[in-house]
Amino acid sequence: MLRRTGRPALIGVVSAGLGLAAAELLAAATRPASGPLVAVGGAVIDATPTPVKEFAVRTLGTFDKPVLLGSIAVVLVVFTAVVGALTARRGWVAIAGAAAFGLAGAAAALSRPASTGADALPSLLGAAVAGGTLAAWSRSRPASRDRRAFLRTALLVTGGAVLAGGAAETVKRVRGSAVTKSREAIALPAAADPARPLPTGVAPGFYTDKLYRVDTALSVPRVDVGGWSLRIHGMVRRELKLTFDDLLRRPLIERDVTLNCVSNEVGGPYVGTARWLGVPLAPLLAELGVDPAADQLVARSVEGMTIGTPVATVLDGRDAMLCVGMNGEPLPLEHGFPVRMLTPGLYGYAGACKWLAELELTTFGAFDAYWVRRGWAARGPVKTASRIDKPQPFARVQAGTVTVAGVAWAQGRGIRGVEVRVDDRPWQKAELLPVPSSDTWVQWRYAWAATPGPHTLAVRATDGTGTVQPEERATPFPDGATGWHTVTATVE
């Protein structure tokens, strides 16, 4: 049975491994995003229904990408095992299986927004190597039936796959190291308009140590800052192309801004505050002469992601900017190096494109950005929200005075008040800690006279316009979650 099924199946898997390694090596040497795993993964993300995506983000968090790639690898192993087993009886299956492997990878690579014709080559090469190896091995009687010959061939092919895969990783590391070194060599100029000092009384944790990351990039783009440029075009009197040095020569502003993802559930972690350094966007667009009919600014990343931002929100006086720095350093690679866009008061999907490469002035009627095509609202103003960070859900605390604390945010409008409710008792005002501006979250705390037993704590905020955060729960889709955050704690 092992000879009839097990060995042919293993031949299929090992042959595919060699082909995949060869494909990834070529992709690493040309354009890493064209590798079959990343290309197919990106196509799967694009084809996944929005509810499934939201479930993945909610359930897996930042592990959603490794899980997706692992799932694709499992499917590939099963597929190639079946192809290998069938090839032992029908030789033509090797060619058909390899063709399916190559065409799927090539089609996925070419479907990516920033693809070129050359992006199909890694998958086609991988298919040729995998199919050729499988066919030759299956036709070789000693290699497929004699145990020692089989093991020698298996070790030889596996060794080739390991060497090719290792070479691919080495090439990626070398290229990534060059980008990292170029980032470390950047000396950011001082801001012409620096951020205000944090007011006295701000509690630890105002700035987020590790800002959340939610995006569709399975492989973090590593952009050579020396070759990077930004094109601004569309409904403007004149187009403009800027290099990174061009941006650094312009007057920079520095601001504390809270950024949050529209996928954030009530009480969720996808929100954080950082100090950003960048070029103010409104004056830059004014220089180019924006057509009054243009109502959408479409940002495109180096990987082809599109994010649409209302032009009015860029020109209404808020500190929309092209960010080059975060927390005193050049942008981290995973947060958009070398340049990202940031629009205070909008969810990230509507105003914070990472790895920026292009800005186009257009209209909402003429173009739907990536997330809008998937059913999300075209405009993404941040909703008033609040969260309890302390105590944690299901915590056990001692009776007496217990500090209940958390954050609340309504960027652009600010927070006027926060209230805490214990069980069904009346709402009580929480103390608001000082903030540098209305574009950041507000830290709050409440002294709770905790009595023994289980208790439910709830929080709600009132924004600067006097609007109270609604109680009704709504999921993030299509324009952001609503509802009061509650936690249960036991007092001993």
Side-chain angles (χ1 to χ4, degrees):
M1 179 63 71
L2 179 61
R3 290 181 180 178
R4 290 181 184 177
T5 306
R7 288 185 184 178
L10 183 59
I11 289 172
V13 172
V14 174
S15 299
L18 180 61
L20 182 62
E24 293 296 337
L25 177 57
L26 178 58
T30 54
R31 203 171 82 89
S34 65
L37 283 178
V38 171
V40 171
V44 169
I45 290 175
D46 287 352
T48 301
T50 296
V52 178
K53 287 183 183 178
E54 286 304 293
F55 173 80
V57 171
R58 182 171 61 253
T59 306
L60 302 173
T62 55
F63 294 102
D64 58 342
K65 297 174 181 63
V67 169
L68 173 60
L69 292 176
S71 300
I72 293 172
V74 169
V75 171
L76 181 60
V77 167
V78 173
F79 172 75
T80 54
V82 172
V83 170
L86 294 176
T87 299
R89 300 182 202 138
R90 300 176 181 83
W92 59 267
V93 175
I95 304 301
F101 174 91
L103 291 176
L110 293 176
S111 72
R112 310 315 301 142
S115 67
T116 65
D119 287 348
L121 295 180
S123 292
L124 297 179
L125 172 64
V129 171
T133 302
L134 175 58
W137 195 354
S138 298
R139 286 197 301 265
S140 176
R141 190 167 194 170
S144 59
R145 297 186 180 179
D146 180 77
R147 182 171 179 273
R148 290 185 179 178
F150 174 80
L151 290 176
R152 284 197 299 267
T153 305
L155 288 173
L156 181 63
V157 176
T158 301
V162 171
L163 287 175
E169 288 302 312
T170 299
V171 172
K172 289 178 183 177
R173 285 196 187 97
V174 169
R175 295 183 64 170
S177 177
V179 171
T180 300
K181 288 180 180 178
S182 71
R183 174 184 175 275
E184 292 173 348
I186 293 173
L188 294 175
D193 183 1
R196 299 175 184 173
L198 283 185
T200 303
V202 171
F206 180 82
Y207 293 119
T208 306
D209 291 335
K210 188 174 183 181
L211 195 66
Y212 72 90
R213 180 193 165 203
V214 177
D215 54 53
T216 63
L218 290 173
S219 176
V220 174
R222 297 180 179 274
V223 183
D224 177 10
V225 69
W228 177 89
S229 64
L230 172 67
R231 180 191 177 207
I232 308 176
H233 65 106
M235 298 172 68
V236 292
R237 283 199 302 270
R238 68 180 182 94
E239 296 187 5
L240 183 64
K241 191 171 185 179
L242 296 167
T243 66
F244 189 73
D245 286 340
D246 290 335
L247 287 180
L248 295 189
R249 282 192 286 266
R250 298 182 68 90
L252 303 182
I253 61 173
E254 184 182 56
R255 296 291 185 269
D256 293 331
V257 178
T258 294
L259 178 65
N260 46 312
C261 180
V262 72
S263 295
N264 202 34
E265 295 280 354
V266 172
Y270 303 133
V271 58
T273 300
R275 176 160 286 189
W276 307 91
L277 177 71
V279 174
L281 191 49
L284 179 58
L285 295 184
E287 293 175 19
L288 304 184
V290 177
D291 187 325
D295 62 3
Q296 181 179 205
L297 177 64
V298 175
R300 289 183 174 85
S301 76
V302 297
E303 44 145 12
M305 169 59 70
T306 56
I307 285 180
T309 304
V311 171
T313 63
V314 177
L315 303 180
D316 66 2
R318 72 185 73 193
D319 291 314
M321 67 176 89
L322 303 178
C323 298
V324 296
M326 173 180 164
N327 293 334
E329 298 181 353
L331 291 173
L333 299 182
E334 65 271 21
H335 288 296
F337 178 81
V339 179
R340 72 174 294 165
M341 187 172 157
L342 179 66
T343 312
L346 297 185
Y347 290 115
Y349 87 100
C353 185
K354 294 187 284 191
W355 309 295
L356 191 61
E358 183 181 329
L359 292 173
E360 179 185 5
L361 277 300
T362 181
T363 66
F364 282 104
F367 182 81
D368 286 336
Y370 180 90
W371 294 111
V372 175
R373 292 198 299 270
R374 285 152 181 81
W376 292 87
R379 297 162 175 80
V382 171
K383 295 182 177 180
T384 303
S386 54
R387 187 181 72 195
I388 299 172
D389 293 331
K390 181 183 178 181
Q392 290 288 309
F394 310 112
R396 305 185 76 87
V397 299
Q398 296 299 311
T401 301
V402 174
T403 298
V404 182
V407 289
W409 58 91
Q411 292 94 305
R413 303 182 301 279
I415 295 295
R416 180 180 297 179
V418 171
E419 297 170 290
V420 175
R421 185 176 68 185
V422 180
D423 301 322
D424 293 324
R425 300 172 194 167
W427 289 95
Q428 301 296 321
K429 288 185 178 181
E431 176 190 359
L432 301 185
L433 277 61
V435 293
S437 78
S438 63
D439 286 332
T440 70
W441 59 17
V442 175
Q443 297 169 305
W444 58 265
R445 61 191 177 202
Y446 169 70
W448 170 34
T451 57
H455 297 280
T456 298
L457 307 172
V459 63
R460 69 181 184 186
T462 300
D463 69 21
T465 69
T467 303
V468 180
Q469 179 184 345
E471 176 183 9
E472 182 180 359
R473 284 283 182 121
T475 61
F477 184 80
D479 59 358
T482 62
W484 298 339
H485 185 214
T486 62
V487 299
T488 299
T490 300
V491 179
E492 300 176 334

